[in-house]
């Protein structure tokens, strides 16, 4: 596997408005060795002049050498002058001369460029507004870059880290730090994606209550995935055994989950359901009965 830094020149596929359920992109990119076609999945739609770090391998496709990446993450420069260059490149109507003028006037404080200062530098009002928008985008990209890098450092795969950002944005790091098993709630991921490097990076042991609860919810979702919303207690115990969960601790955790209605139990039949499924079916039943 190779890691390369690229700047997006253009998006060759998909065109704007085209359905893209797999988030698959064909990008024309500038690399240190020249222009390169890069293909792979990106959780967000890239933009022209965006900087990315791609991990993958070179491959031949229809006689053309492409870089097929399995991971993509934003690459925001840390140096203030490089950040100014990044923003100017993405602002139509600005170029190297304007960049140099802004830096000469404000230096590290270039982010505080005011309308009056822009006017003095002969920057058109519409271009100045676009500049401010790209500055906001830089801040956003930097937050995204920092959050994704942090989560990868905590043992998340790039895909899982990107999914966490897409779901929670600036709250992602706080949510994961409070309970890393929240990552298992993300679409396309589950208990196994967290129950390894991620939970170990948070010093969560085998018998940690967060792990036990997450395993129970994961097991319930697996067992009800085929359509049934109620399963037997025996099935749940068997599934938790497969996950190597301490069954005594699991039994205590289930009791607490009955108390807060995360789970619903049916003692007479020794059956159990997720609280969200129980509530949904109750709402449907009440609706059919004409109840409010």
């Amino acid at each position: 596997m190779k890691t390369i830094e690229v700047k997006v020149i253009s998006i060759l596929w998909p065109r704007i408005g085209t359905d893209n359920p797999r988030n698959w992109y064909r990008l024309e990119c500038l690399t240190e060795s020249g222009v390169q076609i890069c293909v792979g999945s990106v959780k967000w739609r890239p933009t022209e002049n965006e900087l990315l770090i791609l991990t993958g391998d070179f491959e031949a496709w229809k006689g053309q050498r492409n870089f097929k990446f399995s991971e993509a993450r934003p690459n925001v420069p840390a140096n203030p002058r490089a950040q100014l260059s990044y923003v100017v490149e993405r602002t139509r109507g600005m170029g190297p001369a304007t960049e140099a003028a802004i830096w000469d006037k404000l230096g590290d404080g270039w982010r505080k460029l005011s309308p009056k200062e822009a006017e003095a530098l002969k920057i058109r009002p519409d271009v100045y507004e676009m500049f401010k928008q790209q500055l906001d985008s830089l801040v956003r990209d930097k937050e995204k870059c920092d959050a994704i890098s942090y989560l990868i450092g905590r043992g998340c795969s790039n895909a899982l880290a990107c999914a966490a950002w897409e779901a929670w944005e600036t709250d992602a790091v706080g949510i994961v730090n409070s309970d890393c098993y929240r990552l298992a709630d993300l679409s396309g991921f589950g208990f196994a994606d967290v129950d390894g490097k991620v939970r170990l990076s948070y010093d969560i042991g085998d018998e940690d209550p967060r792990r036990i609860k997450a395993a129970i919810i994961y097991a319930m979702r697996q067992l009800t995935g085929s359509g049934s919303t109620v399963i037997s207690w025996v099935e749940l115990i068997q599934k938790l055994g497969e996950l190597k969960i301490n069954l005594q601790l699991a039994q205590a955790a289930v009791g607490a989950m009955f108390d807060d209605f995360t789970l619903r139990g049916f003692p007479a039949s020794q059956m159990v359901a997720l609280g969200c499924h129980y509530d949904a079916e109750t709402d449907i039943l009440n609706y059919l009965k004409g109840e409010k």
Side-chain angles (χ1 to χ4, degrees), residues 6-26:
V6 308
K7 179 166 72 173
V8 178
I9 299 173
S10 64
I11 300 173
L12 302 178
W13 196 92
R15 295 182 177 86
I16 294 176
T18 302
D19 188 32
N20 187 20
R22 294 193 302 137
N23 296 315
W24 185 263
Y25 288 90
R26 183 173 178 81

Side-chain angles (χ1 to χ4, degrees), residues 10-264:
S10 64
I11 300 173
L12 302 178
W13 196 92
R15 295 182 177 86
I16 294 176
T18 302
D19 188 32
N20 187 20
R22 294 193 302 137
N23 296 315
W24 185 263
Y25 288 90
R26 183 173 178 81
L27 308 172
E28 183 182 26
C29 299
L30 182 64
T31 72
E32 62 177 10
S33 58
V35 176
Q36 177 69 57
I37 302 300
C38 302
V39 296
S41 180
V42 186
K43 288 288 185 179
W44 65 95
R45 183 178 176 85
T47 58
E48 290 183 7
N49 295 316
E50 184 171 3
L51 302 178
L52 300 175
I53 297 175
L54 305 178
T55 300
D57 284 304
F58 290 98
E59 65 169 14
W61 186 77
K62 292 186 178 181
Q64 185 178 43
R65 188 170 183 257
N66 293 339
F67 186 79
K68 185 176 182 181
F69 58 89
S70 56
E71 294 184 355
R73 51 190 168 118
N75 182 23
V76 178
N79 180 280
R81 179 61 190 268
Q83 289 180 351
L84 171 59
S85 179
Y86 185 62
V87 170
V88 168
E89 281 189 347
R90 300 176 73 176
T91 303
R92 294 187 185 279
M94 281 191 175
T98 306
E99 175 192 331
I102 293 172
W103 185 261
D104 288 343
K105 186 172 184 63
L106 299 173
D108 286 354
W110 66 267
R111 294 182 183 215
K112 297 180 181 179
L113 178 70
S114 68
K116 278 191 174 182
E117 289 167 332
E119 184 180 1
L121 293 173
K122 298 182 179 178
I123 298 172
R124 299 197 319 265
D126 60 317
V127 174
Y128 174 74
E129 286 305 314
M130 189 178 296
F131 173 82
K132 296 296 286 184
Q133 290 173 13
Q134 293 301 332
L135 175 56
D136 290 342
S137 179
L138 170 74
V139 173
R140 196 81 177 143
D141 286 349
K142 184 68 167 63
E143 290 175 340
K144 181 198 296 184
C145 182
D146 290 346
I148 290 173
S149 296
Y150 174 84
L151 293 174
I152 289 173
R154 282 294 194 172
C156 292
S157 66
N158 183 75
L160 182 55
C162 287
W165 174 267
E166 291 301 307
W168 302 315
E169 297 190 347
T170 54
D171 293 327
V173 170
I175 288 171
V176 176
N177 281 346
S178 65
D179 182 1
C180 65
Y181 280 98
R182 289 286 303 279
L183 290 164
D185 296 334
L186 296 172
S187 177
F189 299 94
F191 180 79
D193 295 293
V194 184
D195 201 50
K197 291 182 181 179
V198 178
R199 66 117 164 167
L200 292 176
S201 77
Y202 286 96
D203 296 323
I204 294 177
D206 291 351
E207 299 183 350
D208 189 288
R210 291 169 292 180
R211 180 175 186 260
I212 303 298
K213 183 176 179 179
I216 292 168
I217 293 174
Y218 172 76
M220 288 294 299
R221 286 175 175 166
Q222 288 286 299
L223 293 168
T224 57
S226 60
S228 175
T229 57
V230 180
I231 60 150
S232 70
W233 173 250
V234 173
E235 287 179 286
L236 178 58
I237 289 295
Q238 288 176 339
K239 188 67 176 178
L240 291 172
E242 292 173 10
L243 295 173
K244 296 180 170 51
I245 298 298
N246 183 305
L247 297 182
Q248 286 186 327
L249 294 176
Q251 189 167 4
V254 166
M257 293 167 78
F258 284 152
D259 290 339
D260 66 12
F261 304 113
T262 302
L263 296 177
R264 295 283 190 157

